Amino acid sequence: MGKVFKIIGLWFNAGRGYTLPMSVLSWLIPFLYAVLYYNGMVDFGLIALVGIVILHWSVNLLDDLFDWWKAQRDIKLGKRQELNFQRRKCIYLINGDLTFKQALIGLIAALSISLLIALWFISVFGLKLLPLIIITALLCLFYPVLDHFALSEVVIGIVFAPLLYYGVFYVMTGTVSLPLMLMSISTGLMTIGLSYTHILLDCELDRKNSKTTLATLFASPLSALNLQAVIIILAYLNIIICICFSQLPLLSLLTLLSIPTAVELYRILKIHLTDRERKIKRTFFMGYMENWENIEKQGIDGFMIKFLTSRNLMVHFTLLLALSLLIDKVI
């Protein structure tokens, strides 16, 4: 049994399973909205979640395999001296836990499952879902390439927000909702913010590997950080505007309770860019950080405190929005 769990853990980590809560949280809002306000079909929503999580895992693995292939090619061409990747990336290939061929077979199997779920929904709802599925598939398949042209965050924002929201809500209700799509703007921006934190932390390595990201486009690191601030501010501003135009319940202002986490994120990212040797202490507003003792023992606390604070900002914002929907419906 221990061997089975080890294999599951290996494949889970190969697809960066620690990022999958992004999918679950993004799915949560349209699922709740469909159930609470439209009596949506719960079973269809859960099937959609399975497809979304598997697709997310697949795209993570695809991104790794593409970067591994590109790095190998660049080394042969003399454009690169060594296999140096961002933290946790391709570690299973570097350590020899999986071969490229094995990982590719796993990728094909996972993508096939996602495709079968998509085809099943088409059989139920007809070709109305086909454009959504094609657009999502193309963005996901070309994500590894777009990731090298400063477009990865744009793709993430589109896939995790309007496309995911539209798809989940539609298969649960057979219709669309303007308020829900407006909500997706804010959660999409928060998802972009989470991804952008990662590229801010890896900006120097990306420059060294000639990889173009949104952060590397800025001459000044602080200018790149200011873009992060703008993204997060727009997420809150969208909620306020939607409330003013009666598109969201007043209780959606609960999302503003996550602002202290946003402030903490900006503060520690600024420290990272200006005083990297400074030890950052955890605070209450950074949120829950699991396995912190092990993280410190591994010596990766400097990176993880920033990444987990960014993740927690998305978690706090999304859960507060979900709570506002629940309370609004109950009251």
Side-chain angles (χ1 to χ4, degrees):
M1 185 61 71
K3 187 177 181 180
V4 172
F5 283 120
K6 187 176 180 180
I7 293 173
I8 292 173
L10 171 61
W11 282 102
F12 180 81
N13 291 327
R16 279 176 257 153
Y18 66 92
T19 67
L20 297 181
M22 290 172 59
S23 284
V24 178
L25 284 170
S26 298
W27 163 88
L28 178 63
I29 300 299
F31 177 80
L32 277 180
Y33 198 76
V35 171
L36 294 174
Y37 293 86
Y38 288 81
N39 196 28
M41 294 180 285
V42 173
D43 51 347
F44 280 19
L46 294 175
I47 294 171
L49 174 62
V50 173
I52 291 165
V53 169
I54 293 175
L55 181 60
H56 183 181
W57 181 92
S58 302
V59 174
N60 284 343
L61 183 57
L62 175 63
D63 183 50
D64 270 14
L65 295 183
F66 176 83
D67 280 358
W68 179 267
W69 168 82
K70 186 176 184 300
Q72 298 280 8
R73 187 198 64 174
D74 288 349
I75 288 174
K76 290 180 181 179
L77 295 175
K79 295 180 180 179
R80 188 168 175 167
Q81 300 302 316
E82 59 182 342
L83 291 169
N84 53 341
F85 296 103
Q86 296 99 328
R87 300 162 185 82
R88 301 190 183 186
K89 194 174 184 66
C90 299
I91 190 68
Y92 51 93
L93 293 174
I94 295 171
N95 293 340
D97 296 322
L98 289 173
T99 65
F100 184 90
K101 184 178 180 180
Q102 288 172 329
L104 184 61
I105 292 172
L107 171 65
I108 293 171
L111 287 175
S112 299
I113 295 172
S114 293
L115 177 61
L116 288 173
I117 292 174
L119 291 175
W120 180 79
F121 276 126
I122 288 176
S123 71
V124 174
F125 292 96
L127 296 179
K128 291 180 180 180
L129 280 175
L130 189 59
L132 173 73
I133 292 170
I134 290 175
I135 293 171
T136 302
L138 289 175
L139 287 174
C140 289
L141 289 174
F142 285 101
Y143 171 81
V145 178
L146 297 172
D147 189 30
H148 288 261
F149 294 93
L151 291 172
S152 61
E153 281 63 48
V154 175
V155 172
I156 287 170
I158 293 173
V159 171
F160 277 93
L163 293 182
L164 186 152
Y165 274 47
Y166 182 96
V168 172
F169 189 79
Y170 188 85
V171 300
M172 292 181 68
T173 66
T175 185
V176 295
S177 167
L178 176 60
L180 180 66
M181 298 310 293
L182 292 173
M183 269 186 270
S184 76
I185 295 174
S186 289
T187 55
L189 287 168
M190 283 296 178
T191 305
I192 291 173
L194 172 56
S195 176
Y196 189 73
T197 296
H198 209 296
I199 67 170
L200 269 177
L201 298 175
D202 291 322
C203 188
E204 290 184 6
L205 182 59
D206 288 334
R207 289 184 193 276
K208 184 178 179 181
N209 292 335
S210 300
K211 181 177 180 179
T212 303
T213 65
L214 278 177
T216 62
L217 294 177
F218 291 91
S220 164
L222 289 179
S223 296
L225 176 59
N226 288 336
L227 176 59
Q228 170 83 310
V230 170
I231 291 170
I232 293 171
I233 289 171
L234 287 175
Y236 290 110
L237 187 60
N238 178 66
I239 293 291
I240 294 171
I241 292 173
C242 288
I243 291 172
C244 291
F245 285 91
S246 302
Q247 293 299 313
L248 294 180
L250 183 61
L251 282 167
S252 299
L253 287 174
L254 284 174
T255 55
L256 301 185
L257 293 176
S258 63
I259 288 178
T261 307
V263 173
E264 280 291 84
L265 176 62
Y266 182 86
R267 181 182 70 84
I268 62 177
L269 287 177
K270 187 174 182 179
I271 292 172
H272 171 81
L273 296 173
T274 58
D275 187 7
R276 191 157 301 186
E277 299 303 317
R278 180 176 167 185
K279 179 76 172 178
I280 299 173
K281 295 182 180 180
R282 292 170 60 195
T283 67
F284 172 79
F285 291 115
M286 289 179 182
Y288 175 69
M289 297 184 181
E290 65 279 6
N291 299 318
W292 187 252
E293 289 185 2
N294 290 331
I295 288 172
E296 286 186 314
K297 287 179 182 178
Q298 294 174 37
I300 57 174
D301 50 303
F303 169 82
M304 291 302 293
I305 196 170
K306 297 147 194 167
F307 177 77
L308 292 175
T309 300
S310 180
R311 179 207 65 180
N312 289 342
L313 173 59
M314 179 193 175
V315 171
H316 297 169
F317 183 93
T318 306
L319 291 182
L320 286 167
L321 182 58
L323 180 62
S324 71
L325 296 177
L326 283 168
I327 295 175
D328 177 67
K329 189 60 179 176
V330 170
I331 294 176

